[in-house]
Amino acid sequence: MTGEESLRPQSLMLTFLGDQVLGRDVCVYSGSVIDVFARAGIGEQATRSTLTRMVGRGLLRRQREGRRMYFGLTERSAAVLRDGERRIWQTGAVNRHWDGTWTLLGFSLPESWQRQRHDLRSQLTWSGFGPLFNGLWIAPGEVDVSALVAELGLSAHVKVFRAHADAGMDIGQMIEETWELSDLAAGYAGFVRRWQPWEDRLPEADEALVLRLRLQTEWLRIVRRDPRLPVKHLPDDWPAEQAEKTFRAVHERLSPLARDASERLLDLVPARPQA
């Protein structure tokens, strides 16, 4: 199975909205979304239920125009999409400018707090942390986790420090022991294997729109899982740089055709101020 086959409809939807709606103050017709997603192999019922769930979660808002229903962004979804944009186009996949700073987070929770422990570990992993020891996690750079910890209600049980490694410590070995580098590397290598052929192919415009949708969704999923470890302490054959080159080359190749298709296929209306 390829990585693109397991992409969730909501992830594809967020990419689609980031491409077509973010920063434009417009709403998109549900029928247009259904049409594009059908070309991506996602049925009408799955697309409609994704739209409904996202409205329920505060990620989309509805706007009726005559007999047609249009969907626009909320402040929450716009913030999520802007963060994804930064992660792809500004932060990037390769950390060349690390200043030697680490963020250390220690926590001690009662034995009975299994759910809270699971939630904290999940959120820390999402934020780029790895388990240095059982109750001590570490991330490269200065990571602000105050909002995350407060949201989980664990501020009284967590301590956060900034630190530098001792001169004699083998940082490369520490990284290998703390993060699953083989899984990260396999993700990047698989991305290159799937997408590099498209650096030299030119699809039909409608196919280019769907391909770019999958390309961006898959790339964002990979880079969000990457804690952006300092490249000078990673293996010499680390595949992130090649994967990023492939992503940018294919995105640039697909974009003119994808824009043509979106102008032809999408019904957009100005977003009205919400009551």
Side-chain angles (χ1 to χ4, degrees):
M1 301 289 281
T2 67
E4 66 177 34
E5 286 172 339
S6 60
L7 297 175
R8 294 186 306 127
Q10 181 171 303
S11 301
L12 286 167
M13 188 72 73
L14 284 168
T15 301
F16 173 79
L17 295 165
D19 261 355
Q20 308 297 338
V21 178
L22 183 66
R24 297 178 65 187
D25 208 23
V26 295
C27 295
V28 59
Y29 171 46
S30 59
S32 299
V33 182
I34 289 165
D35 183 12
V36 171
F37 275 54
R39 295 164 197 266
I42 296 171
E44 178 176 346
Q45 192 55 47
T47 302
R48 286 190 185 279
S49 64
T50 300
L51 289 168
T52 301
R53 279 199 308 274
M54 290 177 72
V55 169
R57 293 180 60 203
L59 293 169
L60 286 179
R61 66 183 186 89
R62 294 187 177 98
Q63 179 172 309
R64 183 174 291 282
E65 300 285 342
R67 299 178 66 177
R68 291 190 161 190
M69 186 64 75
Y70 291 74
F71 290 85
L73 299 177
T74 62
E75 285 185 17
R76 183 179 170 201
S77 55
V80 169
L81 293 173
R82 281 193 295 269
D83 179 67
E85 252 185 358
R86 279 192 298 272
R87 193 70 180 84
I88 289 176
W89 299 110
Q90 294 171 30
T91 311
V94 183
N95 185 354
R96 295 186 184 86
H97 307 296
W98 179 63
D99 65 359
T101 303
W102 296 93
T103 299
L104 285 172
L105 182 145
F107 63 89
S108 179
L109 304 180
E111 276 300 314
S112 59
W113 287 17
Q114 292 184 1
R115 181 183 59 78
Q116 290 93 329
R117 187 177 287 104
H118 170 78
D119 290 347
L120 178 59
R121 286 172 173 164
S122 298
Q123 290 293 327
L124 290 177
T125 301
W126 181 254
S127 301
F129 284 80
L132 191 61
F133 298 109
N134 191 27
L136 184 64
W137 288 55
I138 188 169
E142 296 194 11
V143 184
D144 182 3
V145 292
S146 54
L148 175 161
V149 172
E151 192 173 324
L152 292 172
L154 297 176
S155 299
H157 301 271
V158 169
K159 303 288 186 288
V160 182
F161 304 88
R162 309 288 181 218
H164 285 77
D166 189 76
M169 202 185 82
D170 186 337
I171 293 176
Q173 183 181 347
M174 182 274 289
I175 284 173
E176 288 192 17
E177 292 170 351
T178 306
W179 284 274
E180 294 288 344
L181 291 187
S182 58
D183 288 352
L184 273 175
Y188 282 122
F191 182 88
V192 172
R193 201 164 52 246
R194 285 187 290 280
W195 289 102
Q196 206 167 40
W198 286 103
E199 290 186 38
D200 303 311
R201 293 184 199 166
L202 210 56
E204 297 291 324
D206 292 4
E207 187 186 4
L209 179 60
V210 170
L211 281 169
R212 192 177 70 162
L213 189 61
R214 290 191 177 279
L215 172 79
Q216 287 183 228
T217 306
E218 187 179 340
W219 181 245
L220 183 58
R221 184 177 67 173
I222 290 171
V223 295
R224 277 204 189 282
R225 290 175 177 173
D226 187 341
R228 296 193 76 249
L229 298 160
V231 71
K232 68 179 180 180
H233 293 295
L234 290 170
D236 291 339
D237 59 351
W238 190 246
E241 185 169 8
Q242 178 57 58
E244 188 161 60
K245 284 179 181 172
T246 295
F247 166 74
R248 288 176 179 262
V250 176
H251 187 276
E252 187 176 346
R253 190 165 180 80
L254 295 175
S255 284
L257 290 167
R259 276 195 297 271
D260 290 346
S262 62
E263 286 174 13
R264 192 175 66 257
L265 295 172
L266 302 185
D267 174 7
L268 303 172
V269 296
R272 292 197 302 267
Q274 288 184 280

